[in-house]
Amino acid sequence: TVGAVVLDKQGNLVAGTSTGGMTAKRFGRIGDSPIIGAGTYADNTSCAVSATGHGEYFIRYHVASDICARMKYAKMSLHDAANTVIHDVLLPAGGTGGVIAIDAGGNVAMPFNTSGMYRASIDKHGNVSIGIYK
Amino acid sequence: SSVAIAIHGGAGTLSPDDMTDAQRAEYISTLQTAVTEGYKVLLAGEPGEAAVIRAIQIMEMSPLFNAGIGAVYTFDGEHELDASIMNGRELNAGAVSGVKTIKSPIMAAYRVMTESPHVMLSAEGAEAFARQQALEMVDNTLFNTQRRYEALQKAKARMQSETSAVEWRQGNERFG
């Protein structure tokens, strides 16, 4: 699975995700990537999120929109909302994976509860970061 | 306003032992290209959707990632691809699922968002819409890679050894 989240010059947040899904999948199995609210979500009043991981859990826990809702209604920061959902909600339930997220201030969060996630970002100051492992 | 971008290429049980320095360098280089190209689109003042599509298409065309070329195989030895895109301004969104012959699923998702009254189209219907939109259509074998084919054989061997579907929990393949 691959994904991107951006803040553009007009102040809009956009999220996108694309995937081949799960190895050896059968019976038309669909994961979270094409499900708006689960693997992809964007709302200018909170954040944009793209997810990757065990899709069934990301659907059941509507991970992408949950992160944005915590910002919108619980007034959590992007970092706290994303880390809470990935580490305190999803992992105890057995869901593994991670997200990339960005907010209207151009802040970036990339939490994951597995040993690695291919990720890269360029923040509002132009700082580049690229990582694979924890 | 200032601009910013983040991308991912998948999560999982990754270990430094799993790849050679050369492979790691290839991943880093492709991530760098994708994030930089998307950022350039933003700096040029183009809409966020263009930057998201640019960055994701670079990874869809790379055999390194589970999307487009390099996608994992289904049980039946094919590739079924999914994609979605969402804009935070008016909460508009588009998605395709279970498509096999659309070269760029993220572009198809974008067209669903901008050229149809729907949010999600699936399988043959999504393919018919993509053809109507004159998107590039390809043979499913374009997405083949040896590495993923071998992963399919391993997964199928494990499935046969498991005693029940419930117990059959996938290994690293369960990650998108």
Side-chain angles (χ1 to χ4, degrees), chain A residues 8-23:
Chain A
D8 69 17
K9 271 193 175 169
Q10 293 71 37
N12 291 316
L13 294 170
V14 182
T17 311
S18 180
T19 189
M22 178 189 269
T23 299

Side-chain angles (χ1 to χ4, degrees), chain B residues 164-176:
Chain B
S164 81
V166 172
E167 280 164 34
W168 174 58
R169 290 182 60 82
Q170 294 208 4
N172 210 10
E173 300 83 7
R174 69 180 182 279
F175 296 110

Side-chain angles (χ1 to χ4, degrees), chain A residues 24 26, chain B residues 75 154-163 168 170:
Chain A
R26 305 174 80 175
Chain B
F75 185 85
K154 272 198 291 184
K156 290 178 92 165
R158 184 173 48 255
M159 288 164 83
Q160 273 138 21
S161 66
E162 293 293 343
T163 51
W168 174 58
Q170 294 208 4

Side-chain angles (χ1 to χ4, degrees), chain A residues 1-26 28-37 39-45 50-57 72 94 96-102 105-110 112 114-133, chain B residues 1-17 19 24 27-28 31-32 35-36 39 42-49 51-52 55-56 59-60 64-68 71-76 79-91 93-98 105-106 119-120 148 151-152 155-156 159 168-170 173-176:
Chain A
T1 302
V2 302
V5 290
V6 303
L7 168 67
D8 69 17
K9 271 193 175 169
Q10 293 71 37
N12 291 316
L13 294 170
V14 182
T17 311
S18 180
T19 189
M22 178 189 269
T23 299
K25 65 185 177 184
R26 305 174 80 175
R29 181 266 183 187
I30 300 290
D32 62 305
S33 297
I35 311 289
I36 297 300
T40 300
Y41 195 74
D43 176 349
N44 279 6
T45 66
S50 172
T52 174
H54 197 162
E56 280 68 10
Y57 288 88
K72 191 167 183 174
T96 42
V99 295
I100 55 172
I102 199 164
N107 301 298
V108 172
M110 302 191 281
F112 52 99
T114 48
S115 59
M117 178 166 80
Y118 300 108
R119 62 204 186 279
S121 66
I122 302 180
D123 69 14
K124 57 190 173 186
H125 307 299
N127 302 317
V128 182
S129 92
I130 300 178
I132 295 179
Y133 313 109
Chain B
S1 76
S2 61
V3 298
I5 181 173
I7 66 171
H8 70 76
T13 312
L14 309 176
S15 149
D17 309 334
M19 58 175 97
R24 189 174 309 126
Y27 272 101
I28 297 292
L31 288 169
Q32 172 104 36
V35 77
T36 305
Y39 190 64
L42 294 172
L43 290 180
E46 291 192 48
E49 294 92 327
V52 163
I56 286 180
M59 295 188 280
E60 282 180 338
L64 298 177
F65 303 103
N66 175 21
V72 298
Y73 285 78
T74 65
F75 185 85
D76 298 325
H79 307 280
E80 292 174 3
L81 310 177
D82 312 318
S84 62
I85 190 166
M86 183 166 189
N87 179 305
R89 187 178 50 248
E90 63 271 340
L91 302 192
V96 292
S97 64
I106 191 66
V119 170
M120 187 172 198
R148 300 292 195 188
L152 172 63
K156 290 178 92 165
M159 288 164 83
W168 174 58
R169 290 182 60 82
Q170 294 208 4
E173 300 83 7
R174 69 180 182 279
F175 296 110

Side-chain angles (χ1 to χ4, degrees), chain B residues 115-159:
Chain B
E115 305 299 333
S116 94
H118 306 303
V119 170
M120 187 172 198
L121 299 177
S122 65
E124 294 80 9
E127 308 239 340
F129 174 78
R131 278 191 295 274
Q132 185 195 67
Q133 289 291 314
L135 293 185
E136 189 172 353
M137 309 302 281
V138 296
D139 189 276
N140 191 257
T141 55
L142 173 79
F143 306 116
N144 289 357
T145 52
Q146 185 59 28
R147 173 169 74 107
R148 300 292 195 188
Y149 183 72
E150 288 162 8
L152 172 63
Q153 304 317 314
K154 272 198 291 184
K156 290 178 92 165
R158 184 173 48 255
M159 288 164 83

